């Protein structure tokens, strides 16, 4: 109670001091009317000032009455001095326009305001109290990145996991996607993924976002569930004058030689009285492409039936592929986005806003899969296999399957599996000035969903012998007898249709209060505190139907319409020929509702353990003090308290000894936990453009939904048990960061730093054997892990070079990571000491070389991330690794006029595949190729400042 009284007295003193002072607020824009974030404003003769936010607005409270001179500074812009008369108990508005320095004028025509975008980002980063990387939309335009995922991978310490050639899941400083947070205007973005918290970064077009803010050391006023860091996507806001921006383009995917279409527009303005601002934008990208895929699963034990199937005989062999697949994907991806943002100024001290964004992606996919899997040991006789003198298994019998994946005919499905993903966010909020106390609040509703209706599979099977080439890098099965492997002889195995629906809803509310409070005479300081609630529901509702053919018309693959999907230019190699399958049109046209043709059976064993319903409510409060101790040194210190309450519901599913479904029951559980998370951020300005930073923070990561749901799947035939674990603890991390930054007046940055994370209770899937000999799979908390890393970054224009060479610019960053783990046990119960923390890539590098003059710009960009362990198996042989990748992209822009430009982008010049390997680098588990992608089009930008 004593401490609360002291706090109230200090706050009361802060409010009472307003009677002898006034406030200054305003908006800073450039010559085009675009707001300028990250600018510093200083009241001359006093230790008072402010930094503009992402909307270019600033507020200075407690300014002495009378005539005051303000100095506005911004890296790459001329400083501006303005005088203003401050009156007691009043707030005066002072809006300022800043103009570019001569060092940046050369690029204005090419990028419209491109270098200004880099200046905005670097100024904001420089003036932040915490360790942050900022990227503006204008910088994104310098790279050929269609979605936010591909744009974010350019930032130091970040790598992305790829899906169908596009960057989807974000890894920050080596920590897996579920350990990081992605927010939109400060509110957590819900995830449409069914079994994790990953946010699909490829769902959001890059041209719908104004700024990307990556907080690598979070402050107490931010959500704490950001072990690696927090990515905040800031949507565009209404301009200070009329703005119209449009893009229209096309292109080609070289893997299918099919077209790409894209377009976007943005229009916004402010009312004549400057009270009402609005901005509406929309974007569409229609991409018709595909991928060439080969997969394998490896084994190092082999046994066969030598007459006693209860006692199989083992043969020592080298590792071999027990499963081998060739897959051909045909995909159409249509990404749409719409945003409408409004703000209204009630008066000089009260503003309201509304922000919204709706993202909608249709993903149509047909997949044609040839799968070969070695028969079980009891079905392999002494003469069915061969082993050479070196211990290589060279031939053996397989069960072969030809599977067509598609959807219903007509409508939006178009005979393809349609994955409908949507993410929407609506928020309303306000900024208020009560005396010299600043108050802001926001309420938001977010929803993400993934719906896959009428997803169909038609599968045929056969058995024959194959020869295995024993090439671990490029595995291949070849039929011993081509006649036996004739696709026309394959017999019907399965006809199925399933529906999947996953959704996550978030309701957020927060309020922040900021009041001047200083502990040091003649130095600025403020106290900030606030509260937040996040009410979340995540649920998944799947079903699965298997159909039997009542007429016998589908019994043999050769008796139905088929199509050969082989490609002599198959990117994994011409030796991989997938062959013929039931055509997608034929599968889509089957009428499962006609009982004279098909009889359907509901199979709950195929989906019930995947279904769940989870309510997760988080209540948080924080307080922090930001104190300036001198004009060079400042400290931000505070604490955040988060309480999490979880209600979860899942299913227990049992299979009998014959493998048949034997019943199910619903199971529910509750859990809750509270985390106290202190943090300290130190900032020292060695010189005007040299900054040293230190941070000590504490963060958490909540378990994936699929892990915390109390489900069980008990298979008495296979002697396997799968568990959820509602008793999982959240993963916690104590983080230390040191960073040094040198900013260049010509708009550039040289930075370097180190970081260390002490992680407790990380989550992994443990594989063990119970007392009955059943293999048990269960998510558990590991004891601990550590991550140490270093990162360096350089970006600048080479304006110190003579002649045309001064128009070159470079963008380079490199991150090194090393990690270790404790408390991971193998299937025999022994602790493993040979593992890095999953998803920690030891080396990451980004680099680009660009050239720009008044009418032309060109850039070549590379992105590299090293291999890392992606999934821990029961033993080292079964560990899955995500292989290293290097992407090379090219783009060029030509200014046809001040408003109109032509662009050309070429992506994935290296034809980089997505590759996984098992245990050792040379043992391929998956290799998926996407080929190059070419885009070209026109951009038009019109600014009309008020």
């Amino acid at each position: 109670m004593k401490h609360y009284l002291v706090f109230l007295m200090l706050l009361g003193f802060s409010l009472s001091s307003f009677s002898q002072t006034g406030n200054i607020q305003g908006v800073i824009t450039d010559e085009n009317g675009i707001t300028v974030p990250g600018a510093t404003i200083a009241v001359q003769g006093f230790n008072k000032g402010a930094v503009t936010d992402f909307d270019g607005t600033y507020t200075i409270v407690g300014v002495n009455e009378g005539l005051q001179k303000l100095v506005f500074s911004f890296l790459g812009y001329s400083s501006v001095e303005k005088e203003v008369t401050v009156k007691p108990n009043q707030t005066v508005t002072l809006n300022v326009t800043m103009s570019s320095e001569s060092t940046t004028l050369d690029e204005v025509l090419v990028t419209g305001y491109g270098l200004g975008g880099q200046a905005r980002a670097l100024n904001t980063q420089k003036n932040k109290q915490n360790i942050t990387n900022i990227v503006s939309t204008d910088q994104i335009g310098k790279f050929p990145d269609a979605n936010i995922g591909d744009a974010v991978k350019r930032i130091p310490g970040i790598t992305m996991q790829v899906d169908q050639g596009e960057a989807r899941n974000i890894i920050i400083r080596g920590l897996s996607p579920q350990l990081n947070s992605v927010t939109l205007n400060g509110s957590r973005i819900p995830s449409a993924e069914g079994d994790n918290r990953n946010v699909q970064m490829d769902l959001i077009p890059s041209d719908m976002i104004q700024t990307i803010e990556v907080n690598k050391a979070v402050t107490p006023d931010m959500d704490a569930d950001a072990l690696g860091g927090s990515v905040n996507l800031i949507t565009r806001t209404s301009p200070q004058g009329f703005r119209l921006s449009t893009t229209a383009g096309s292109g080609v995917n070289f893997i299918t030689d099919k077209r790409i279409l894209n377009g976007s527009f943005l229009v916004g303005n402010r009312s004549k009285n400057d009270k009402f601002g609005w901005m509406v934008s929309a974007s569409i990208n229609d991409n018709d492409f595909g991928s060439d895929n080969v997969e394998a699963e490896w084994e190092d034990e082999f046994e066969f039936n030598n007459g006693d199937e209860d006692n199989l005989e083992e043969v020592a062999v080298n590792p071999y592929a027990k499963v081998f697949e060739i897959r051909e994907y045909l995909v159409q991806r249509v990404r749409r986005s719409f945003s409408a943002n409004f703000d209204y100024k009630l008066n000089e001290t009260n503003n309201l806003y509304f922000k919204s964004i709706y993202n909608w992606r249709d993903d149509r996919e047909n997949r044609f899969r040839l799968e070969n899997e070695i028969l079980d040991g009891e079905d392999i006789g002494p003469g069915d296999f061969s082993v050479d003198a070196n211990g290589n298994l060279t031939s053996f019998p397989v069960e072969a399957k030809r599977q067509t994946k598609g959807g219903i005919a007509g409508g939006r499905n178009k005979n393809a599996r349609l994955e409908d993903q949507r993410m929407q966010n609506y928020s309303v909020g306000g900024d208020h000035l009560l005396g010299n106390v600043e108050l802001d609040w926001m309420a938001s509703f977010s929803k993400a969903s993934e719906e896959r209706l009428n997803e169909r599979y038609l599968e045929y099977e056969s058995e024959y012998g194959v020869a295995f080439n024993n090439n671990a890098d490029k595995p291949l099965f070849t039929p011993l007898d081509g006649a036996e492997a004739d696709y026309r002889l394959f017999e019907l195995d399965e006809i199925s249709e399933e529906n999947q629906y996953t959704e996550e809803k978030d309701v957020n509310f927060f309020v922040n209060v900021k009041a001047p409070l200083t502990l040091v005479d003649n130095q600025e300081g403020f106290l900030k505190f606030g509260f937040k609630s996040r009410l979340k529901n995540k649920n998944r509702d799947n079903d699965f139907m298997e159909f039997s053919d009542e007429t016998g018309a589908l019994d043999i693959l050769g008796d139905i319409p088929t199509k050969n999907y082989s490609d002599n230019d198959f990117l994994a190699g011409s030796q991989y020929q997938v062959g013929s399958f039931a055509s997608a049109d034929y599968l889509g046209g089957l009428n499962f509702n006609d009982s004279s043709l098909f009889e359907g059976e509901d199979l709950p064993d195929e989906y019930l353990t995947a279904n769940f319903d989870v309510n997760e409510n988080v209540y948080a409060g924080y307080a922090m003090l930001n104190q300036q101790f001198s004009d060079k040194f400042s400290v931000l210190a505070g604490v955040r308290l988060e309480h999490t309450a979880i209600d979860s519901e899942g299913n227990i599913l049992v299979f009998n000894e014959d493998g048949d479904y034997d019943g199910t029951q619903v199971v529910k559980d509750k859990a809750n936990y509270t985390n106290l998370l202190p943090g300290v951020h130190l900032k020292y300005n060695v010189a005007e453009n040299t900054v040293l930073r230190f941070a000590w923070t504490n963060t958490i990561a909540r378990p994936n939904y699929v892990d915390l749901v109390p489900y069980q799947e008990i298979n008495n035939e296979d002697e396997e048990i799968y568990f959820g674990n509602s008793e999982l603890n959240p993963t916690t991390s104590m983080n230390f960061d040191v960073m040094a930054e040198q900013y260049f007046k010509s708009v550039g940055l040289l930075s370097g730093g180190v970081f260390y994370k002490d992680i407790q209770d990380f989550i992994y899937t443990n594989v063990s054997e119970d007392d009955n000999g059943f293999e048990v799979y269960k998510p558990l908390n590991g004891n601990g892990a550590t991550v140490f890393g270093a990162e360096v970054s350089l970006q600048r224009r080479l304006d110190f070079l003579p002649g045309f060479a001064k128009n070159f610019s470079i963008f380079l960053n490199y991150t090194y990571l090393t990690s270790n783990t404790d408390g991971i046990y193998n299937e025999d119960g022994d602790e493993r000491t040979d593992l890095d923390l999953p998803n920690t890539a030891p080396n990451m590098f980004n680099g680009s070389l660009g050239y720009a003059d008044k009418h032309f710009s060109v850039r070549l960009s590379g992105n590299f991330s090293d291999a890392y362990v992606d999934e821990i198996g029961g033993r080292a042989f079964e560990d899955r690794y995500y292989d290293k990748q290097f992407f090379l992209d090219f783009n060029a822009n030509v200014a046809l006029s001040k408003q109109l430009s032509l662009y050309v982008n070429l992506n994935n010049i290296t034809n980089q595949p997505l590759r996984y390997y098992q245990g050792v680098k040379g043992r391929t588990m998956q290799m998926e190729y996407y080929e190059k992608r070419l885009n070209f089009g026109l951009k038009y930008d019109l600014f009309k400042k008020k």
Side-chain angles (χ1 to χ4, degrees), residues 918-936:
Q918 182 177 322
V920 296
K921 183 175 179 58
R923 193 179 297 138
T924 297
M925 284 193 77
Q926 180 180 356
M927 48 182 175
E928 184 170 82
Y929 290 81
Y930 312 105
E931 251 294 1
K932 294 178 283 294
R933 189 174 297 173
L934 176 68
N935 290 272
F936 51 84

Side-chain angles (χ1 to χ4, degrees), residues 858-879:
V858 62
R859 184 175 295 270
L860 186 66
S861 308
N863 176 271
F864 171 82
S865 60
D866 215 340
Y868 55 85
V869 61
D870 173 72
E871 187 176 287
I872 300 172
R875 53 196 175 108
F877 180 82
E878 297 171 354
D879 293 340

Side-chain angles (χ1 to χ4, degrees), residues 168 231 409 517 733 815 863 886:
R168 166 166 287 196
V231 178
L517 176 64
S733 179
T815 302
N863 176 271
F886 177 70

Side-chain angles (χ1 to χ4, degrees), residues 217-288:
V218 298
T219 52
D221 57 346
M222 300 176 186
D223 288 341
D225 52 348
L227 236 69
S230 172
V231 178
N232 187 27
L233 307 178
I234 300 166
T235 56
R236 296 179 182 272
T237 55
S238 56
Q240 296 302 303
F242 178 76
R243 183 184 178 190
L244 172 65
S245 178
T246 62
T247 300
S250 186
V252 62
N253 286 291
F254 290 107
I255 190 169
T256 57
D257 292 329
K258 292 187 176 181
R259 55 94 183 114
I260 302 170
L261 298 174
N262 65 277
S264 67
F265 79 88
L266 178 151
V267 61
N269 203 353
R270 295 201 72 81
S271 61
K272 290 184 178 180
N273 63 5
D274 205 39
K275 283 184 173 291
F276 178 67
W278 60 275
M279 188 281 301
V280 176
S281 62
S283 171
I284 186 168
N285 182 276
D286 188 344
N287 196 0
D288 207 331

Side-chain angles (χ1 to χ4, degrees), residues 735-939:
N735 317 294
F736 298 89
D737 294 81
V738 178
M739 183 68 69
E741 302 166 347
Q742 175 64 50
Y743 294 85
F744 304 115
K745 290 185 177 180
S746 58
V747 187
L749 168 68
L750 173 64
S751 66
V754 295
F755 56 90
Y756 176 81
K757 296 179 179 294
D758 184 4
I759 299 171
Q760 300 298 319
D761 289 328
F762 68 89
I763 297 168
Y764 75 103
T765 300
N766 177 260
V767 183
S768 62
E769 189 173 292
D770 68 7
D771 294 338
N772 297 316
F774 280 48
E775 199 163 65
V776 178
Y777 298 81
K778 186 176 184 178
L780 296 176
N781 289 111
N783 292 341
T786 59
V787 177
F788 172 79
E791 59 187 36
V792 294
S793 177
L794 171 65
Q795 53 177 302
R796 72 163 298 168
R797 184 179 170 192
L798 306 181
D799 55 344
F800 53 85
L801 296 177
F804 75 94
K806 69 181 180 182
N807 295 323
F808 282 98
S809 62
I810 56 174
F811 179 93
L812 304 169
N813 61 70
Y814 168 74
T815 302
Y816 167 78
L817 287 175
T818 182
S819 66
N820 61 66
T821 59
D822 295 315
I824 295 180
Y825 297 89
N826 64 18
E827 58 192 6
D828 297 323
D830 300 323
E831 183 171 7
R832 294 188 57 180
T833 59
D834 58 338
L835 281 173
D836 293 333
L837 186 68
N839 295 299
T840 51
N843 297 283
M844 290 168 281
F845 172 77
N846 284 295
S848 74
L849 176 65
Y851 176 87
D853 60 25
K854 290 184 178 181
H855 301 283
F856 175 74
S857 69
V858 62
R859 184 175 295 270
L860 186 66
S861 308
N863 176 271
F864 171 82
S865 60
D866 215 340
Y868 55 85
V869 61
D870 173 72
E871 187 176 287
I872 300 172
R875 53 196 175 108
F877 180 82
E878 297 171 354
D879 293 340
R880 185 178 77 170
Y881 288 80
Y882 193 105
D883 201 6
K884 64 183 179 182
Q885 53 188 11
F886 177 70
F887 294 96
L888 188 65
D889 306 315
F890 169 85
N891 69 314
N893 290 271
V894 179
L896 304 178
S897 69
K898 188 173 182 179
Q899 286 81 35
L900 185 65
S901 63
L902 170 71
Y903 69 89
V904 178
N905 300 330
L906 182 62
N907 292 79
N908 195 23
I909 297 172
T910 55
N911 188 24
Q912 174 64 50
L914 166 67
R915 183 175 184 270
Y916 289 92
Y917 59 87
Q918 182 177 322
V920 296
K921 183 175 179 58
R923 193 179 297 138
T924 297
M925 284 193 77
Q926 180 180 356
M927 48 182 175
E928 184 170 82
Y929 290 81
Y930 312 105
E931 251 294 1
K932 294 178 283 294
R933 189 174 297 173
L934 176 68
N935 290 272
F936 51 84
L938 295 172
K939 293 181 180 180

Side-chain angles (χ1 to χ4, degrees), residues 56 174 195 229 272-273 279 334 372-373 404 414 453 482 524 582 621-622 747 772 784 838 890 899:
D195 55 0
K272 290 184 178 180
N273 63 5
M279 188 281 301
V334 183
N372 296 268
E373 181 174 5
T404 299
K414 301 178 181 179
L453 300 180
E524 271 200 299
Y622 75 91
V747 187
N772 297 316
F890 169 85
Q899 286 81 35

Side-chain angles (χ1 to χ4, degrees), residues 547-548 550 590-599:
F547 295 88
S548 57
E550 297 297 290
L590 296 176
N591 185 5
F592 293 156
N593 295 319
D594 189 338
S595 59
S596 66
L597 300 177
F598 298 97
E599 181 180 349

